[in-house]
Amino acid sequence: MQLIIRAYDLKLKHTFRISRKTIDYQPTVIVELKKDGFSGFGEATSNPYYNITIPILENDIEKIRPIIETIDNETPEEFWTKINPLLQENKFALCALDNAYNDWYARKQGKKLYQLWNYTIENNPLTNYTIGIDSIEKMVSKMKELPWPIYKIKLGTPEDIAIVTELRKHSNAVFRIDANCGWNVDETIKNAIELKKLGVEFLEQPLKADDWKGHREVFKHSVLPIVADESCIIESDIAKCHNHFHGVNIKLMKCGGITPGRRMLHEAKQLGLKTMIGCMTESTVGISAIAHLLPELDYVDMDGALLLEKDIASGVIIQNGEIKYAEGNGTGVILY
């Protein structure tokens, strides 16, 4: 199997700010796996929070090139099992390879990914569109620039309630709030009361990831559902989130790709947790992989490519929150 690695700097339409960082460009790596006349694509972005840089991604993938090049016709599960032990410290690289292999495998079978898994797509959820932290005026402007049925609003400032109060004056859309670990227990419980009045659907990761005592308090007392993000990284975290959160937001790059992601979704459902998949600021390559998991989800945040000034691939198309699949098999991605 041939391995091709490409690096890009994705320019954003607007400066993007959350509670812990601000960016104008998002570096990313695209992996292509090629064999028997078919190519599969996967993506992994840099991420300072998880100590992932482009050189680290490239080097870690290069280290296992000899193994990848010996891959023949393993199933995606067999492929993941083979390379997972070699990338224990870099789930982002594992994700890029796993997603690329799933894509390649489905294309070779002549099926879209969701067809390979026997999913039906009639009841797919709509994706939200993210409004990063900014001045209230600019946040309102971003909403007006792209009217949308569901907004995810990034918070973690001294003016959080004032921000949502003002945004609500300009839209009847569903609001979701993501504090990215920026609040404490008392703030969360108090803010939830006000935010519920403002039509907020749920709160995502209000507390620091490892504050399990705090998560339990918020779980018991919040008037809004709480969804884990930074507290739910790998498969073993699903069980920890039970009775500490009402739902989990799984990121494919954090857990190591589609293969473990599907297992996490299954376990979450078994425990009665709401299921969500979120994205990074990434291209249509990564977003298209997420799209094929939609039938498993209650909520989805897959707007990453919509935040870009210029994309690097075609694939799924998102219009007013609704996802339209590409014509091709696998994920349907085509690099420009």
Side-chain angles (χ1 to χ4, degrees):
M1 177 161 283
Q2 184 182 1
L3 166 66
I4 302 165
I5 305 169
R6 301 176 176 90
Y8 299 87
D9 275 335
L10 306 174
K11 189 176 190 310
L12 278 62
K13 289 178 185 173
H14 302 287
T15 297
F16 187 73
R17 180 184 163 206
I18 63 174
S19 62
R20 60 174 177 263
K21 70 173 182 177
T22 301
I23 60 171
D24 291 294
Y25 286 86
Q26 176 59 66
T28 196
V29 163
I30 304 298
V31 168
E32 180 180 358
L33 296 179
K34 197 170 185 179
K35 190 175 185 293
D36 300 334
F38 299 97
S39 285
F41 300 93
E43 180 170 12
T45 64
S46 67
N47 193 305
Y49 185 78
Y50 295 99
N51 194 32
I52 299 295
T53 65
I54 297 304
I56 288 173
L57 283 168
E58 293 175 326
N59 290 340
D60 285 355
I61 294 170
E62 281 292 348
K63 284 178 188 174
I64 64 169
R65 179 183 287 273
I67 304 295
I68 293 168
E69 289 178 343
T70 65
I71 297 293
D72 191 12
N73 286 300
E74 285 91 337
T75 65
E77 292 78 10
E78 290 168 339
F79 174 82
W80 188 89
T81 300
K82 183 174 285 189
I83 66 169
N84 173 49
L86 308 173
L87 291 169
Q88 279 297 296
E89 302 303 315
N90 195 335
K91 298 294 188 186
F92 283 60
L94 180 60
C95 171
L97 290 165
D98 181 62
N99 289 7
Y101 193 84
N102 271 275
D103 185 19
W104 173 83
Y105 188 85
R107 292 186 197 226
K108 190 172 181 187
Q109 305 298 315
K111 295 181 178 180
K112 299 180 188 299
L113 259 181
Y114 72 77
Q115 293 171 334
L116 187 70
W117 302 325
N118 296 314
Y119 290 165
T120 57
I121 59 172
E122 286 75 20
N123 297 309
N124 282 354
L126 301 179
T127 182
N128 56 232
Y129 179 76
T130 303
I131 306 295
I133 296 172
D134 211 323
S135 68
I136 294 179
E137 182 181 0
K138 286 184 179 177
M139 291 175 81
V140 169
S141 174
K142 289 175 187 176
M143 278 198 344
K144 289 183 175 180
E145 181 182 291
L146 191 65
W148 210 254
I150 309 169
Y151 290 109
K152 181 197 263 192
I153 302 161
K154 296 285 190 176
L155 295 180
T157 79
E159 299 182 326
D160 285 342
I161 301 302
I163 288 171
V164 181
T165 299
E166 185 60 31
L167 294 183
R168 177 51 76 203
K169 295 175 184 176
H170 300 273
S171 174
N172 292 321
V174 172
F175 283 177
R176 297 167 178 171
I177 299 301
D178 186 359
N180 284 113
C181 311
W183 294 346
N184 61 36
V185 171
D186 290 339
E187 270 183 299
T188 303
I189 294 170
K190 182 180 175 183
N191 286 348
I193 295 169
E194 297 306 313
L195 292 170
K196 184 176 183 180
K197 297 174 188 174
L198 292 166
V200 167
E201 185 178 25
F202 62 74
L203 306 179
E204 186 177 331
Q205 196 67 47
L207 310 183
K208 286 184 168 57
D210 60 355
D211 185 5
W212 291 98
K213 183 179 178 182
H215 297 321
R216 179 66 179 166
E217 281 300 299
V218 169
F219 175 78
K220 289 193 293 185
H221 299 294
S222 172
V223 298
L224 286 174
I226 310 295
V227 175
D229 181 0
E230 285 87 347
S231 296
C232 185
I233 307 298
I234 56 176
E235 291 181 66
S236 59
D237 291 332
I238 295 290
K240 291 182 191 175
C241 289
H242 182 50
N243 287 329
H244 288 81
F245 293 91
H246 301 89
V248 289
N249 181 4
I250 296 164
K251 302 281 181 67
L252 299 184
M253 287 188 208
K254 296 180 186 179
C255 73
I258 287 171
T259 300
R262 290 181 69 214
R263 293 195 294 259
M264 290 172 77
L265 290 170
H266 178 74
E267 184 180 356
K269 287 184 174 184
Q270 293 291 104
L271 292 172
L273 291 162
K274 291 289 188 180
T275 56
M276 179 176 181
I277 283 188
C279 65
M280 308 300 190
T281 304
E282 58 193 281
S283 79
T284 287
V285 175
I287 297 303
S288 293
I290 293 170
H292 291 263
L293 292 167
L294 286 172
E296 293 270 30
L297 307 181
D298 295 299
Y299 318 115
V300 68
D301 172 19
M302 50 181 292
D303 66 342
L306 296 174
L307 305 176
L308 304 180
E309 185 172 285
K310 187 177 181 182
D311 210 334
I312 58 172
S314 63
V316 297
I317 296 170
I318 302 174
Q319 296 175 332
N320 200 36
E322 185 177 352
I323 288 80
K324 299 183 186 301
Y325 291 95
E327 291 184 8
N329 290 323
T331 64
V333 162
I334 300 172
L335 284 185
Y336 292 143

